[in-house]
Amino acid sequence: MLIRHAPDLTENDVTPKDVYIRRREIMAAGIGFGLGLAGTATQAAQVTGKLSAKRTFWTNETPTDLEAVTGYNNFYEFGTDKLEPVKYASALTTRPWTVKLDGDCAKPQTVDIDTLLKGALEERIYRLRCVEGWSMVIPWIGIPLAEVIKRAEPLSKAKYVAFETALRPKEMRGVSDRILQWPYVEGLRMDEAMNPLALLAVGLYGDLLPNQNGAPIRLVVPWKYGFKSIKSIVRISFTTREPPTSWNRYAPREYGFYSNVNPQVDHPRWSQASERRIGEFKRRPTLMFNGYADNVAQLYAGMDLKKYY
Ligand SMILES: Nc1nc2c(c(=O)[nH]1)N[C@H]1C(S)=C(S)[C@@H](COP(=O)(O)O)O[C@H]1N2
Ligand SMILES: [Mo]
């Protein structure tokens, strides 16, 4: 577990220029993912310019090649093939964009994405591990989910947080396929959502999120499988009951509500014991809670994680 909390860094420690230069270095050092997407990725990475963020959770792991992060995606609203989102997600209009906070809370409200962007952004390197067995290391920029939740002042009876992706049939060519029930939905238990690792990402590699990665705002829950990290969020609701989740609806025996990265509990079709880091050839062992056990294991103390998979 190489994550390091760096609360003593100030915003000035990471200037937009540093972020920009580092990204160029990463790109220059990139070993090439062989997708022929260099042009697209470069464009995507230069959407608006540079976000300023202070580094908080950091690791010394090498970030995954930017081309892979922005060219190999799961975003079923734009097609089930991992090469489709980069081609079709540009159709999504990401401004203006609001996020509705509602349900069991004292201050339901609708927040404009740019208001959130003006908040204190943090840059963190997190692994993202897909249940299918591949993983990436990504420098995300975002806002702690807990801060956004606090704006709405959830009531004590609110035990869960439900998330919903935009549903725009005219912009999302994939939703004509009924493979999933739309809109895509996800959920966390309130204490999971309040954990400092849970991030609402608005950028990666120092820039705004490319659409295929979930612009303008997506969840990143680094100790859970990638599919929990719902993209292009328009609604966050507080509920007393466990909310439905898209993949659980699709195949309840394969995808549970919790979906914690757990090398000891296999998916019925894929081993979870090891993973292939995109850009590497040798598989590496998967770590409990994706390596974040120190931060999150206490959330599941006493729970049978085979039952609550
Ligand atoms: N709305 C929505 N969010 C989604 C998905 C999706 O299909 N639709 N796919 C999930 C899956 S399976 C993964 S692995 C991650 C991939 O995120 P990335 O493309 O940024 O790597 O997004 C998750 N969030
Ligand atoms: Mo995934």
Side-chain angles (χ1 to χ4, degrees):
M1 185 61 243
L2 296 159
I3 224 163
R4 185 159 57 85
H5 199 202
D8 46 351
L9 286 178
T10 70
E11 263 180 62
N12 299 330
D13 288 313
V14 181
T15 64
K17 192 154 159 270
D18 290 335
V19 171
Y20 179 71
I21 289 168
R22 197 173 62 249
R23 189 187 68 239
R24 296 305 298 258
E25 283 167 356
I26 290 163
M27 287 180 66
I31 46 170
F33 192 57
L35 292 173
L37 294 166
T40 320
T42 308
Q43 230 178 359
Q46 291 173 349
V47 203
T48 59
K50 326 299 158 226
L51 296 175
S52 171
K54 74 172 179 188
R55 284 182 186 176
T56 50
F57 293 91
W58 208 249
T59 80
N60 61 6
E61 288 183 83
T62 310
T64 301
D65 186 0
L66 178 67
E67 287 174 39
V69 173
T70 59
Y72 183 82
N73 305 93
N74 262 338
F75 201 166
Y76 273 33
E77 287 86 337
F78 298 100
T80 54
D81 189 296
K82 289 175 186 44
L83 303 182
E84 283 179 304
V86 67
K87 284 192 241 161
Y88 303 120
S90 57
L92 184 69
T93 315
T94 58
R95 289 293 187 290
W97 189 282
T98 56
V99 180
K100 187 177 180 184
L101 307 174
D102 68 356
D104 295 324
C105 59
K107 291 197 173 150
Q109 58 190 279
T110 297
V111 199
D112 189 89
I113 181 74
D114 292 314
T115 307
L116 293 177
L117 270 166
K118 273 182 222 126
L121 296 180
E122 297 186 14
E123 186 172 42
R124 306 170 168 192
I125 291 191
Y126 282 165
R127 290 177 288 279
L128 183 86
R129 188 199 189 279
C130 184
V131 70
E132 290 171 281
W134 48 271
S135 63
M136 294 183 180
V137 177
I138 302 175
W140 300 101
I141 288 182
I143 316 138
L145 173 59
E147 279 183 29
V148 176
I149 290 176
K150 282 182 206 150
R151 295 176 80 97
E153 298 180 11
L155 305 176
S156 57
K157 67 175 178 180
K159 298 287 184 260
Y160 295 90
V161 185
F163 302 85
E164 196 177 300
T165 294
L167 175 54
R168 308 243 189 96
K170 287 198 182 118
E171 299 183 356
M172 297 171 152
R173 70 202 303 275
V175 302
S176 57
D177 185 341
R178 298 273 151 186
I179 180 158
L180 294 180
Q181 192 180 315
W182 312 109
Y184 192 103
V185 291
E186 256 307 333
L188 294 172
R189 217 170 54 193
M190 182 60 85
D191 58 344
E192 297 178 313
M194 293 301 288
N195 186 278
L197 283 179
L199 188 72
L200 281 171
V202 296
L204 49 78
Y205 285 93
D207 282 293
L208 287 183
L209 282 177
N211 284 6
Q212 62 271 28
N213 292 93
I217 187 160
R218 61 89 59 87
L219 185 62
V220 183
V221 204
W223 69 97
K224 293 179 183 275
Y225 293 114
F227 61 85
K228 294 291 288 185
S229 291
I230 180 172
K231 297 177 169 179
S232 307
I233 296 167
V234 290
R235 187 174 174 199
I236 300 176
S237 308
F238 305 100
T239 66
T240 52
R241 298 236 182 117
E242 189 182 285
T245 70
S246 284
W247 290 100
N248 180 254
R249 275 177 173 159
Y250 171 83
R253 275 172 298 276
E254 297 189 17
Y255 307 101
F257 176 81
Y258 286 93
S259 300
N260 290 315
V261 173
N262 187 340
Q264 286 145 31
V265 178
D266 283 340
H267 178 277
R269 288 183 284 139
W270 304 291
S271 165
Q272 300 303 331
S274 67
E275 66 198 64
R276 195 176 77 82
R277 185 66 54 81
I278 299 293
E280 294 178 357
F281 296 99
K282 229 178 120 229
R283 293 182 74 87
R284 49 167 81 208
T286 287
L287 304 174
M288 188 64 196
F289 298 117
N290 210 18
Y292 301 95
D294 289 351
N295 308 75
V296 301
Q298 79 281 359
L299 294 170
Y300 311 104
M303 276 175 75
D304 177 355
L305 296 180
K306 282 203 170 69
K307 185 173 170 210
Y308 297 101
Y309 57 96

